[in-house]
Amino acid sequence: MTLVQLEYLLAVDTHRHFATAAEHCFVTQPTLSMQLQKLEEELGVQLFDRSRVPVRPTELGKEVIAQARIVVAEAKKIKEIVQNQKQELSGELRVGVIPTLAPYLIPLFVTSFMEKYPDVRLVVQELLTEEIVQKLNYELLDVGLLVTPLEDKSIRELPLFYEAFVAYINPAHPLAQSKAISPEQLDLDELWVLNEGHCFRSQVLNICNRSGSGLSGAGHLDYKSGSLETLKRIVETQRGLTLLPELSVLDIPEEKQALVHTFQEPQPQREVSLVVHRSFLKKKLIEALQQEIVAAIPAHIRNRKKEQVVGVRGS
């Protein structure tokens, strides 16, 4: 058995299609299929059920694949050890970031990171939390930028900072007269929230101590949004209110600053972290990314202590 055969094995498991796996391994499908067949013959077992579409690993195949991921990851560390000794920071760093962070956090550090590390190719994807974790487990991402804690044993969380929640309130709403509000004052019937699947939605509902069943929007308008910016515009032009992360209102125009209201102490927070697989590679690159992000965050956020962190999962 060879490392190449194990890499082909992992590619088929990841993509669940022989032709797609071969394309990502830069070989022909017959070459990939032949190598996998040799591996199965050597082991004396069938690793994939080829009668199903998409192709799926057999029960024994799942165990072999899990071990193969460990073997391939450990083998890759040999190259990383050599690179670290040479003090080189180069190569590709694949980053997954959730939509409620991407437009506000990425612009803060990406330019300085690329200028400081010109030999690193940064590949950034906007994905939901579950997609990031899945891609980390399949080694399709190197690191995720998301909100924790996730309580997932397959990943390791590296907290970066604690970001406060703020309320964005239409001037005609009764709460617009309050300088600081409390969660008990929030009425879900007047609250605009993101679609299901966004961890930010779950956190907003946790702040309100409510489930999201039957929640559709304020008044007679049922609007399902995946964008915080859209929710801002709706609050400005319609009525009601929404909750936002602190970074999203840092550069808000002066004429709209009156719509931003803080919470009473202790303010609800979200924990923003770098997340990696337990057997993660590219440690030096990820450490460099961590340092650049922390340095780019405004001091009042960077220095904030962990206090009232809101859970990510639904209550």
Side-chain angles (χ1 to χ4, degrees):
M1 132 185 9
T2 67
L3 281 174
V4 170
Q5 288 174 335
L6 297 183
E7 287 172 350
Y8 292 171
L9 173 69
L10 299 183
V12 174
D13 179 55
T14 298
H15 301 288
R16 302 297 171 94
H17 191 275
F18 279 85
T20 305
E23 183 180 341
H24 280 78
C25 292
F26 304 103
V27 297
T28 64
Q29 182 178 339
T31 297
L32 180 140
S33 297
M34 181 181 67
Q35 289 298 323
L36 282 183
Q37 187 174 349
K38 284 184 177 180
L39 179 61
E40 288 178 323
E41 289 173 357
E42 180 180 344
L43 296 175
V45 297
Q46 186 176 355
L47 299 174
F48 289 101
D49 182 354
R50 293 166 172 80
S51 66
R52 305 180 72 175
V53 179
V55 64
R56 295 183 184 178
T58 61
E59 288 303 312
L60 183 54
K62 291 178 183 178
E63 294 186 41
V64 173
I65 288 166
Q67 187 61 37
R69 290 197 181 277
I70 296 172
V71 171
V72 171
E74 291 300 314
K76 288 179 180 177
K77 287 181 180 178
I78 295 174
K79 290 183 178 180
E80 189 171 315
I81 289 169
V82 174
Q83 252 193 347
N84 290 345
Q85 188 66 30
K86 294 179 179 179
Q87 298 296 311
E88 292 179 352
L89 277 180
S90 60
E92 184 177 80
L93 187 62
R94 302 165 299 174
V95 182
V97 55
I98 57 174
T100 58
L101 267 176
Y104 316 114
L105 182 58
I106 298 296
L108 295 182
F109 72 86
V110 69
T111 301
S112 63
F113 181 88
M114 294 173 68
E115 288 176 350
K116 189 174 290 187
Y117 306 106
D119 295 328
V120 176
R121 181 170 181 261
L122 199 61
V123 181
V124 181
Q125 299 179 56
E126 273 194 39
L127 301 163
L128 297 179
T129 296
E130 289 185 1
E131 295 172 319
I132 291 175
V133 173
Q134 183 181 48
K135 284 179 177 286
L136 286 172
N137 286 329
Y138 280 107
E139 298 177 22
L140 297 175
L141 287 176
D142 300 307
V143 61
L145 258 174
L146 42 74
V147 174
T148 53
L150 295 180
E151 299 176 359
D152 187 324
K153 294 181 180 179
S154 70
I155 60 174
R156 180 179 171 189
E157 300 171 358
L158 308 170
L160 297 170
F161 58 90
Y162 297 93
E163 182 183 16
F165 286 82
V166 298
Y168 199 67
I169 305 175
N170 184 284
H173 192 280
L175 285 180
Q177 307 306 314
S178 305
K179 288 186 177 181
I181 63 173
S182 67
E184 292 74 23
Q185 292 176 285
L186 299 177
D187 184 349
L188 278 184
D189 291 333
E190 300 175 328
L191 191 68
W192 298 98
V193 298
L194 293 176
N195 293 340
E196 292 185 15
H198 290 269
C199 60
F200 193 83
R201 172 192 171 96
S202 298
Q203 289 185 300
V204 168
L205 297 180
N206 285 340
I207 289 173
C208 300
N209 198 24
R210 293 272 297 274
S211 71
S213 56
L215 186 64
S216 60
H220 300 292
L221 176 62
D222 183 350
Y223 191 96
K224 294 179 172 58
S225 174
S227 164
L228 292 177
E229 293 305 308
T230 302
L231 295 185
K232 285 184 189 177
R233 300 291 88 78
I234 291 177
V235 168
E236 292 165 7
T237 59
Q238 300 295 318
R239 62 188 186 88
L241 68 155
T242 191
L243 300 191
L244 300 171
E246 189 175 7
L247 286 176
S248 72
V249 298
L250 287 183
D251 297 324
I252 199 164
E254 185 176 352
E255 65 271 15
K256 296 179 181 177
Q257 289 177 4
L259 280 68
V260 180
H261 298 256
T262 59
F263 277 89
Q264 297 171 3
E265 297 290 346
Q267 295 179 328
Q269 308 167 340
R270 65 175 185 172
E271 180 181 78
V272 178
S273 301
L274 283 178
V275 174
V276 294
H277 191 268
R278 279 289 174 187
S279 57
F280 73 105
L281 302 170
K282 305 184 181 179
K283 292 185 180 181
K284 291 288 186 181
L285 277 177
I286 291 171
E287 286 173 3
L289 179 67
Q290 182 178 13
Q291 291 169 6
E292 286 300 308
I293 293 174
V294 171
I297 293 299
H300 72 281
I301 298 178
R302 182 170 62 246
N303 298 329
R304 180 178 289 130
K305 303 299 183 183
K306 179 179 180 180
E307 292 181 349
Q308 193 80 8
V309 173
V310 180
V312 177
R313 303 302 184 188
S315 57

